[in-house]
Amino acid sequence: MATTAIPHEPVARTEHQELPFIRKYIFATDHKIIGIQFLIMSLLFLFVGGLLAMMIRWQLGFPETPMPGGTVLPETMAPGGILLPEFYNSLVTMHGTLMVFFAIMPLLVGVFGNYLIPLKIGAPDMAFPRLNMWSFWIAVPAGILMLAGFFVEGGHAAAGWTAYAPLSAKGEFSGVFAGQQLWLLSLAVLGLSSILGATNYITTIVNLRAPGMTWFRLPLSIWSLFITAILVLLAIPILSGAAIMLFFDQTIGTHFFDPTAGGQPLLWQHLFWYFGHPEVYILILPAMGMVSDIIANGSRKPLFGYHSMIYALIAIAFLGWIVWGHHMFQSGMNPTLGMGFMVTTMLIAVPSAIKVFNWMGTMWRGNIRFHVPMLHAVSFVAMFVIGGLSGIFMASTPVDIYIHDTYFIVAHIHYVLFGGSLFALFGAITFWYPKMFGRMMNVFWGRVHWFLTFVFFNLTFFPMHNLGVGGHMRRLYDPSEYEFLQPLAGTNRFITVSALLLFTVQIIFALNFVISLFKGKRAPENPWDDNGLEWTVPSPPPHGNFVTTPTVYRPPYEFSSPLVEEDHLPQDRDLGQKTDPASAPGTG
Amino acid sequence: MTFDGTPPANPAIDMTEEPECVAKYADGPVDPVVVVNDGMLANVFIRVTAGLPAGPYPIPSQPATIDQNGCLYTPRVLGVMVGQPFEITNSDPLLHNIKAVPSESRGFNISQPRAMTTTRTFKTPEVMVPLECNVHGWMNAYVGVTDHPYFATSAEDGSFAITGLPAGTYTIEAWHETLGKRMMEAEVVEGGTVSVTFVYGSTT
Amino acid sequence: MSWMLPPSASTFAGDIDFLYYLILVITGVAFVVVEVGLIWFIIKYRSRPGRKAYYTHGSVRAEFIWTAIPAVTVVAIGILSAPVWTHVKGRFSAPADALIYRVTAKQFEWNFTHPGLDGTLDTDDDFTIRNRLHVPVNRPVLVRLVSEDVIHSFFVPAFRVKQDVVPGLNTQVWFEATRTGEFELGCAELCGLGHYRMRAMVTVHDADDYERWLASRATTTALR
Ligand code: HEM
Ligand SMILES: [Cu+2]
Ligand SMILES: [Cu+2]
Ligand SMILES: [Cu+2]
C-alpha cells in the first residue's frame, strides 16, 4: 500500500441544488444522514432490547408476582401478568439477539462507520453512496422481520441468541415454528446489509483518503472501523450460510444439524462461533478506536503508543479467528482441541492488556478535561478491564468446567458489551452529537446520566459474577427450583432492583438527546478543541462535507504540541516552515 | 364396553420427586393404563366413522376439559371437535407442559408453571392425538379430534352414549390405547335407542 | 454475595478450585492496579488552568514491560491449567476401574441406568431410575451421556463437573465423590421450556450402604 493517498475530485459538492425531502432524509445517499438513520433505528432497538431485559429481570427477582403492566401481554406470553417459561426463553433469546445485532452492532458500525469515515479521512462521501443507502434500507426490513416473530403462532425464537441445534432446528422440541424461521431470515437479510456496508467502508478508506492522510495518520477510530469492516466481510457470510442451512433444516428437511438423519449438532456450534467470536470483536474494536480518540482529546495528549495500539488491533483481529472453540470447551468437542483453544484465548488477552495500559499511559501526565464523553471513555476502560479479567477465568479450561453456562458468563458479556461497547457509545454519541446535529447536549444532565448509569451498571452486573461462582446457571426461568440456588434469591432481587433503576435513568439520556436537538446551545465548529478533520467543517457539515479537499500534515493526536501555543494542533493546519517532529517518520 | 378375563396390572409410578403429587394418593400412584371395574372397561374412545350425513356440524361452544391433578391427566381419554375450545387445567402447584403430538398436523407445546387454565383449539381432525408432559415422562393422555359431534368416551363403569344421531346405519369404532380398535355396525331408527357392546379381553 | 466457591465433593475439585483462587488473586491484583491507577490519574492529572500536558508519543520500554508481564502471566495460567484439564476431561482420563453408568437425557428428565449388583453396564441386573443417581463414595464413576432429543448439560456443582449431552454424540464424564450425602444435579444448557426444572439428585453412599441399597433395589425390581 502506498503511503500517500490518491488525491481525488470532490464530486458531490459541485452540483449543489436542493434535493427533494425524500431523497435528502429518507432514501438518502449522504453518509451523514444514513449514519443518523442508523442512529435512530438502533437506539429504538436498544430501547426494545432493554425493555425485554426488564421483563427477564422481573421474573428472576419476583417470580410469583404479576409484572406491572404485564396484563397487556396476551395469554400466550404472560397469563395474569406472570411470564410463561416459553415466553421467558423467547425474551432471553430476543434480548441477546436485538442487543447484539440490532443495537450495538449497527450503533458502532452503521452509525459511526458511516458518519465518521468520510469526515475523518477528508472525503466528500462514501465510495458508493447508493450502496450505502441500500445497506440501511435492507437493515430496516431485517428489523421488521425480527420484530414480527413476536406476533406469530408458537411465539418467537426461544433457543437462545446462539440458537443451538437441534432445539432451534425442530419446532417439535420448542413449540416454536415461524418465530425461529423469521429469526433466521432476518439475520440472513441483515447480513446482506452488513456486507454492503463493510465493502463500502473498506473501499472508502483505501481509496478516498485526503492528500497527506497516510495510513499512520489515520485516527484509531478509522483504523478500528477498517479492521472491523474486514472482520464483518469475512465473518458475516459464515453466519448467513449457517442461518440458511438451519432454515433449510426447518423448512425443507435438509438435516444438516439433525443427528437422527446424519446431521451434526456441533456443526452448528462450530459455524456459529467461527462467526461468533470475530463478531464479539466487531462489537468492541470500533468502541476501542473511538475511546482512543476521546481519551487522547480528554487527556490533551498524543495517544500513548499509537503504533502499538494499531498492532494490537490487528493482533486481536487475527487471533480472533482462532479462539472460537473457547465457547465449546464443554460441548463434547475433542478435549485436546480445547487445550489449543485455551492457549490462543489466553494469548488474545495480551493485546487487550496492551490497549488498557496504553490508554492509562495516555492519561498519565495529561491535563485531563472531564467532559461527558471523557467520563464515558474512562468508564469504558475501567469496565473493559473487568470484562477482560473475567475472560481469563473462562479461558482456563478447568475453571470453565464449573463456570461455563452460568451467570459468570452473563457478567462477562455485560462487562465487555455494556461496560465496554455501550459506555464507549455513550462517549461517542455525546462527543459527535454537536457535529451531527449542530447543538450541544446539556452538560449537567449528561453528567447525571453518566454517574447514575455507572453506579447502577455495576450494581446490576457485578453481583452476577458471584451468582456464577455460586453455580447459578444462565437462562433459568425460576432458579428457586434448585435448593442450592435458593440462598441466591436475595442477590437476584437486588440485581433486579438495580436493573430497573439502570433502565429508568436512561430516560435522562433520551430526554437530553431529544431536547438538545431543539434547545441545545448552537455547536461551534470545534467544541472539544480536537484535531480531526471533521472539526474543521461547520456543525452539521454540509452535503459533500469539505469546501476544498483538506490536506493532512500530521498524525491525529497532536495535543499539547510544543510547536503551538494552544494545546491542540489540527491535522490540516499548515505550519509552513516550522518543522513538525511528529510528521517525521519513525516517531510515535 | 366389557372386558373379559383378568385385566393386566397397571404399573406403579415412582413419583417421589413430586411430593405435592404423591400426597394426593393414599396407596401410591399407579398409571391407569387399563381401567376395568366389574368387567367394564373405561377410557375407550368411541366414535362414528361411517354413515353420517355430510357436515359441517355445529361446533359446541362448551369447552372440552382436561385436568392435570396429582401429576396425572383426568380424563385420560377424551374427545373434542375441531374448533371446539379445549380447556387445559393445572391443579398442581408445579410445572406441567402440555405437548400435543399429532401426526397429521402441527402440534403445540405449552407450559403451565403453576395452577392455571389455558385454552387451545385443534384445527385438524385426528384420532388420537397423544398429549404428553415432558417434565413427568409418565403423564399421557389421548385426545380424539373429530370433525363431528358423534363421539363418546367410556366411563368408569364402561358405559357410553352417543346422542342425537339421525336414523341410519353407522359404523362405530372403539379405540383403546393398548387394547386396540374394535368396529361395529349399528342401525338407528328415528327416536329410538340402540345398544352396542364392544368386547375386549385379556385373551383377544 | 461471595467469591468463595461452594463446598466441593470430588477428587479433582481441589485442583479446579486452586486454579480458580489463583486466577482470582492474579486478576484481583491486576484489577486493583488498573483501577487505582485510573483513579489516581484522574485526580492527579485533572485539568488545571495554565498547565499543559506532557507531550510524548509513548515509550517502547514501558510498552515492552506491560506486554511482557501479562503475556508471561497468562501463559503461566495456561501451563498450570493444562494438566488439570487433561486429568478431568482428557479423552482417556477416566480411571480404568471406574464404575460405568449411563445417563439418558431427554426433555426434561434424566434417566440414570445403574450398573446393578454386578457392577457392569448392559447386563440383566441393570436398572434405570428417573432423576436420581446413586453412586458409591471414593470410587471413580464414569457416566456415559446420551441425549434423545436436544442438547442438555450434565452439571453437578459440588463435583465441579459439567458436560454437554449431545444427541448423536457419545460424550462421557467421570468423577470420584469424596463425601457421602445428597448433591443436586442440574441441566446447564437451555433445552426448552422445562429447562429450569430439569434437575436430579445424586446420592453418594458409603461402600456398605451402596451395596445394601443395591440389594434392596434388586428385590423391589424382582417383585415387579
Ligand atoms: C480478554 C479478552 C477475552 C477473553 C479471554 C474472553 C474469553 C471468553 C470465553 C472463554 C468465553 C466462553 C465462556 C463460556 O461460555 O464458558 C467468552 C464468552 C463471551 N465473550 Fe469473551 N473474552 C474476552 C473478551 C471479550 C470481548 C471483548 C467481548 C465482546 C465485546 C466478549 C464477548 C463475549 C460474549 C458475548 C460471550 C458469551 C457468548 C454466549 O455464550 O452467549 N469477550 N469469552
Ligand atoms: Cu469468544
Ligand atoms: Cu407434568
Ligand atoms: Cu436444559
Side-chain angles (χ1 to χ4, degrees):
Chain A
M1 194 57 59
T3 42
T4 37
I6 312 106
H8 56 89
E9 276 306 303
V11 235
R13 186 172 30 81
T14 40
E15 13 90 54
H16 206 268
Q17 87 267 34
E18 269 303 302
L19 289 164
F21 180 84
I22 190 160
R23 288 286 315 282
K24 199 167 169 193
Y25 294 112
I26 300 190
F27 294 103
T29 52
D30 182 337
H31 71 101
K32 300 184 291 297
I33 302 293
I34 297 174
I36 291 168
Q37 288 174 325
F38 267 116
L39 181 64
I40 293 165
M41 183 182 90
S42 31
L43 285 177
L44 287 176
F45 274 113
L46 188 67
F47 173 75
V48 177
L51 210 57
L52 302 187
M54 291 308 106
M55 296 195 226
I56 296 172
R57 278 320 317 177
W58 185 268
Q59 168 61 27
L60 292 173
F62 309 98
E64 296 294 324
T65 320
M67 192 167 59
T71 41
V72 304
L73 294 172
E75 168 255 12
T76 48
M77 294 177 178
I82 305 183
L83 304 183
L84 286 175
E86 54 265 47
F87 182 56
Y88 179 85
N89 289 350
S90 294
L91 287 176
V92 173
T93 304
M94 294 315 300
H95 166 67
T97 306
L98 291 183
M99 286 308 197
V100 167
F101 293 104
F102 289 91
I104 304 293
M105 193 172 162
L107 274 171
L108 288 168
V109 184
V111 177
F112 288 99
N114 261 310
Y115 199 85
L116 294 184
I117 290 174
L119 276 170
K120 273 190 161 300
I121 66 173
D125 205 319
M126 286 287 179
F128 311 116
R130 223 156 313 176
L131 209 61
N132 208 14
M133 175 192 90
W134 277 111
S135 100
F136 176 73
W137 283 107
I138 291 173
V140 171
I144 293 171
L145 283 176
M146 196 50 99
L147 291 178
F150 280 109
F151 304 97
V152 297
E153 196 186 326
H156 213 320
W161 82 279
T162 52
Y164 277 12
L167 182 62
S168 58
K170 279 198 188 165
E172 65 180 85
F173 292 143
S174 56
V176 179
F177 295 89
Q180 189 72 51
Q181 290 162 16
L182 284 168
W183 188 89
L184 291 165
L185 278 183
S186 165
L187 287 191
V189 173
L190 186 70
L192 185 59
S193 152
S194 305
I195 292 168
L196 294 183
T199 323
N200 217 343
Y201 298 167
I202 294 172
T203 318
T204 307
I205 296 173
V206 170
N207 291 310
L208 297 190
R209 281 168 291 128
M213 183 59 98
T214 61
W215 283 96
F216 286 120
R217 284 178 182 170
L218 285 173
L220 257 286
S221 50
I222 302 303
W223 260 107
S224 64
L225 284 163
F226 180 66
I227 293 168
T228 302
I230 296 173
L231 290 182
V232 168
L233 200 61
L234 297 177
I236 298 288
I238 297 160
L239 174 69
S240 306
I244 290 167
M245 286 162 80
L246 190 51
F247 184 76
F248 284 167
D249 264 18
Q250 291 233 346
T251 48
I252 60 174
T254 45
H255 306 297
F256 289 115
F257 309 114
D258 176 7
T260 60
Q264 242 306 342
L266 284 198
L267 175 61
W268 169 263
Q269 293 186 27
H270 279 294
L271 290 172
F272 185 86
W273 289 118
Y274 189 66
F275 144 81
H277 195 89
E279 168 71 14
V280 307
Y281 286 111
I282 292 169
L283 297 169
I284 198 79
L285 294 186
M288 290 174 160
M290 294 190 293
V291 160
S292 302
D293 287 13
I294 296 170
I295 287 194
N297 173 293
S299 307
R300 316 309 296 162
K301 266 186 67 190
L303 190 68
F304 201 93
Y306 169 81
H307 286 90
S308 40
M309 287 299 245
I310 293 170
Y311 299 139
L313 282 178
I314 295 172
I316 291 176
F318 267 104
L319 286 172
W321 289 101
I322 49 170
V323 298
W324 81 91
H326 65 212
H327 298 272
M328 298 172 61
F329 286 147
Q330 321 308 334
S331 70
M333 178 181 77
N334 182 342
T336 317
L337 216 52
M339 197 84 89
F341 281 118
M342 168 165 72
V343 174
T344 52
T345 304
M346 288 289 179
L347 288 181
I348 209 166
V350 176
S352 311
I354 297 175
K355 299 200 76 81
V356 169
F357 289 122
N358 278 359
W359 285 317
M360 291 177 73
T362 309
M363 290 167 64
W364 169 73
R365 297 185 68 180
N367 191 32
I368 305 174
R369 295 187 191 170
F370 289 104
H371 44 52
V372 175
M374 184 65 176
L375 295 174
H376 285 292
V378 175
S379 308
F380 166 94
V381 179
M383 299 296 98
F384 177 74
V385 167
I386 300 177
L389 293 175
S390 64
I392 295 177
F393 287 81
M394 294 133 52
S396 167
T397 44
V399 180
D400 187 66
I401 296 175
Y402 181 66
I403 55 178
H404 170 67
D405 262 329
T406 66
Y407 262 81
F408 200 89
I409 310 301
V410 180
H412 168 74
I413 301 175
H414 288 92
Y415 267 90
V416 285
L417 288 178
F418 192 141
S421 309
L422 197 54
F423 269 109
L425 279 164
F426 282 135
I429 293 171
T430 47
F431 194 68
W432 281 289
Y433 184 97
K435 188 54 62 184
M436 287 181 170
F437 302 107
R439 304 267 188 175
M440 302 300 289
M441 285 178 89
N442 182 293
V443 175
F444 174 76
W445 288 111
R447 287 193 176 146
V448 171
H449 165 254
W450 162 78
F451 178 77
L452 295 176
T453 305
F454 186 82
V455 170
F456 291 130
F457 166 78
N458 281 292
L459 292 182
T460 302
F461 293 107
F462 202 80
M464 289 190 187
H465 292 109
N466 308 94
L467 291 183
V469 170
H472 195 316
M473 293 84 101
R474 59 196 285 212
R475 297 166 173 169
L476 275 196
Y477 166 75
D478 184 359
S480 73
E481 288 290 339
Y482 287 92
E483 230 162 88
F484 78 103
L485 295 181
Q486 277 163 9
L488 301 175
T491 309
N492 260 329
R493 207 160 310 124
F494 176 83
I495 291 176
T496 294
V497 173
S498 311
L500 290 169
L501 289 168
L502 178 62
F503 185 70
T504 311
V505 300
Q506 301 314 310
I507 293 173
I508 302 173
F509 179 79
L511 287 180
N512 194 353
F513 188 100
V514 174
I515 294 175
S516 301
L517 282 180
F518 306 101
K519 298 263 164 70
K521 269 202 318 232
R522 291 256 171 226
E525 240 170 47
N526 190 3
W528 314 115
D529 298 333
D530 199 62
N531 298 333
L533 297 181
E534 77 274 32
W535 305 106
T536 63
V537 293
S539 306
H543 197 67
N545 299 344
F546 299 93
V547 179
T548 50
T549 306
T551 307
V552 173
Y553 295 95
R554 60 186 63 77
Y557 303 117
E558 288 306 297
F559 293 101
S560 304
S561 161
L563 293 179
V564 286
E565 197 63 21
E566 63 278 22
D567 70 354
H568 67 294
L569 180 51
Q571 283 190 281
D572 70 336
R573 169 123 29 110
D574 184 2
L575 289 181
Q577 297 304 323
K578 256 200 239 174
T579 43
D580 192 345
S583 62
T587 49
Chain B
M1 198 64 56
T2 66
F3 188 93
D4 296 341
T6 330
N10 286 327
I13 301 173
D14 178 3
M15 243 186 229
T16 34
E17 67 199 77
E18 301 290 13
E20 288 102 332
C21 287
V22 180
K24 294 185 180 174
Y25 300 92
D27 5 276
V30 167
D31 194 15
V33 180
V34 180
V35 179
V36 177
N37 293 312
D38 298 333
M40 296 297 174
L41 180 62
N43 289 341
V44 178
F45 182 70
I46 307 101
R47 67 178 169 138
V48 177
T49 50
L52 286 170
Y57 308 90
I59 298 167
S61 57
Q62 197 70 9
T65 59
I66 189 167
D67 187 17
Q68 300 151 99
N69 196 349
C71 294
L72 284 175
Y73 289 107
T74 35
R76 185 185 179 88
V77 175
L78 78 164
V80 55
M81 242 184 103
V82 168
Q84 181 185 2
F86 178 56
E87 202 176 273
I88 307 158
T89 301
N90 181 4
S91 303
D92 295 326
L94 45 85
L95 171 76
H96 293 296
N97 75 304
I98 305 93
K99 182 170 172 180
V101 273
S103 46
E104 310 283 308
S105 61
R106 202 172 260 183
F108 57 80
N109 187 1
I110 58 172
S111 69
Q112 294 188 322
R114 53 191 69 81
M116 59 193 281
T117 298
T118 312
T119 305
R120 285 287 177 279
T121 54
F122 289 95
K123 296 193 187 74
T124 321
E126 181 171 338
V127 176
M128 308 287 288
V129 175
L131 294 189
E132 56 189 50
C133 171
N134 305 106
V135 184
H136 310 105
W138 63 80
M139 289 177 68
N140 291 297
Y142 301 89
V143 186
V145 184
T146 61
D147 50 8
H148 61 72
Y150 305 110
F151 57 80
T153 309
S154 70
E156 290 289 298
D157 62 1
S159 67
F160 67 94
I162 297 175
T163 54
L165 274 173
T169 306
Y170 298 101
T171 309
I172 301 178
E173 185 188 275
W175 174 97
H176 186 273
E177 59 176 291
T178 55
L179 303 171
K181 289 181 181 170
R182 297 284 184 279
M183 296 261 232
M184 283 186 101
E185 298 268 304
E187 205 179 315
V188 177
V189 295
E190 195 63 45
T193 305
V194 193
S195 292
V196 284
T197 306
F198 289 94
V199 181
Y200 283 95
S202 55
T203 45
T204 41
Chain C
M1 251 190 256
S2 156
W3 282 95
M4 294 294 141
L5 292 165
S8 69
S10 75
T11 47
F12 48 62
D15 298 340
I16 292 178
D17 294 4
F18 168 77
L19 279 172
Y20 166 81
Y21 288 117
L22 178 76
I23 298 174
L24 185 63
V25 169
I26 293 173
T27 54
V29 170
F31 169 77
V32 171
V33 167
V34 171
E35 305 293 352
V36 168
L38 272 175
I39 294 169
W40 180 39
F41 288 180
I42 287 170
I43 296 167
K44 181 129 192 260
Y45 302 120
R46 67 186 186 278
S47 140
R48 266 157 295 173
R51 238 192 59 187
K52 222 173 166 178
Y54 170 60
Y55 178 76
T56 172
H57 287 89
S59 147
V60 176
R61 223 186 55 220
E63 287 183 64
F64 180 79
I65 294 171
W66 64 55
T67 307
I69 293 177
V72 170
T73 314
V74 291
V75 168
I77 294 174
I79 290 173
L80 289 173
S81 300
V84 181
W85 173 248
T86 316
H87 178 55
V88 180
K89 285 285 185 94
R91 295 229 288 156
F92 309 104
S93 64
D97 61 338
L99 205 52
I100 304 178
Y101 291 67
R102 182 179 304 106
V103 174
T104 310
K106 65 177 212 195
Q107 286 180 328
F108 302 99
E109 58 186 35
W110 301 98
N111 290 297
F112 297 101
T113 305
H114 294 64
L117 271 173
D118 64 1
T120 323
L121 200 63
D122 296 324
T123 52
D124 285 344
D125 67 345
D126 292 1
F127 56 89
T128 303
I129 332 181
R130 256 174 63 89
N131 293 344
R132 283 198 317 280
L133 172 65
H134 293 259
V135 297
V137 73
N138 296 332
R139 172 109 193 250
V141 165
L142 174 69
V143 186
R144 298 231 158 100
L145 300 161
V146 179
S147 167
E148 287 185 6
D149 39 40
V150 300
I151 301 177
H152 305 277
S153 192
F154 178 97
F155 179 32
V156 188
F159 299 164
R160 312 283 190 264
V161 293
K162 183 179 290 132
Q163 177 59 54
D164 286 5
V165 189
V166 185
L169 199 68
N170 296 317
T171 55
Q172 58 180 40
V173 71
W174 77 275
F175 58 84
E176 181 178 335
T178 53
R179 282 196 287 130
T180 57
E182 304 233 299
F183 303 96
E184 279 183 291
L185 181 161
C187 178
E189 183 66 63
L190 178 64
C191 58
L193 48 78
H195 166 57
Y196 75 103
R197 225 170 171 279
M198 188 166 162
R199 54 173 167 44
M201 195 59 90
V202 186
T203 309
V204 180
H205 300 268
D206 67 36
D208 295 343
D209 191 32
Y210 183 66
E211 291 300 321
R212 266 198 302 280
W213 177 80
L214 273 182
S216 74
R217 182 70 217 186
T219 48
T220 48
T221 332
L223 277 180
R224 289 252 172 96

